[in-house]
Amino acid sequence: DFFGYSVAVSGETIVVGAPSEDSNATGVNGNGSDNAAPDSGAAYTFVGSPVVDSIQRAGASPTASASVEFTVTFSKSVTGVDSSDFALTTTGLSGASITGVSGSGAAYTVTVNTGSGGGTIRLDVVDDNSIVDAANNPLGGVNVGDGDFTSGAVYSIEGFKPISKWTSAFDLSHG
């Protein structure tokens, strides 16, 4: 059938031609064994799944702020993004949590409570196939976890540390 005789690429879409395809099948999941249409030809369209392009800090680092924001950018417009799609990787912090997700299209902002203590915090994407593009292609591909992203920017969080311990004695005998 000369599959691959011609190929066209536009963005994340690839069309592969098979000019001598004999199948009489039409549509998705048609009867591919019905070869009643000799040399009718076919075109196969493949659309890439969205991926995470980057996770960047939206503010300065280091910071002593009680909350920080991360900007998550996808390779194309997606829907289904919510707080369950993210996880935090921390060192030295206690009680850090994701407090909000906003945005649309290919860019989202994730707000994170930094908790207590000093250390680092990174936002990760945990792919459970709930994030999809307009063609319903799941993040990273069809398998859960194939769109995970764990190499984003890190905030350094400056915790509150006592400067010194003060003790004093007062002499109240002098009126």
Side-chain angles (χ1 to χ4, degrees):
D1 64 5
F2 294 110
F3 180 83
Y5 182 79
S6 58
V7 176
V9 178
S10 177
E12 294 184 6
T13 303
I14 300 172
V15 179
V16 179
S20 297
E21 172 64 47
D22 293 336
S23 174
N24 194 33
T26 58
V28 176
N29 297 325
N31 182 0
S33 63
D34 178 1
N35 290 322
D39 293 329
S40 60
Y44 300 91
T45 303
F46 303 92
V47 179
S49 291
V51 296
V52 177
D53 277 343
S54 67
I55 299 177
Q56 299 294 323
R57 293 185 306 267
S61 179
T63 183
S65 179
S67 69
V68 294
E69 292 182 334
F70 290 90
T71 301
V72 181
T73 305
F74 296 92
S75 61
K76 61 168 99 175
S77 184
V78 294
T79 59
V81 181
D82 63 33
S83 60
S84 69
D85 297 307
F86 300 98
L88 299 175
T89 298
T90 62
T91 60
L93 300 174
S94 173
S97 62
I98 297 165
T99 58
V101 177
S102 62
S104 63
Y108 289 80
T109 300
V110 179
T111 305
V112 173
N113 176 322
T114 59
S116 61
T120 62
I121 191 165
R122 184 186 76 214
L123 180 72
D124 297 334
V125 173
V126 180
D127 173 30
D128 62 2
N129 281 358
S130 64
I131 299 174
V132 296
D133 66 10
N136 214 33
N137 295 309
L139 182 68
V142 296
N143 296 314
V144 170
D146 56 10
D148 287 355
F149 190 87
T150 59
S151 57
V154 176
Y155 275 101
S156 290
I157 308 300
E158 297 175 333
F160 296 102
K161 298 172 182 66
I163 296 172
S164 64
K165 207 170 204 183
W166 290 66
T167 58
S168 61
F170 294 97
D171 183 358
L172 301 176
S173 63
H174 301 294

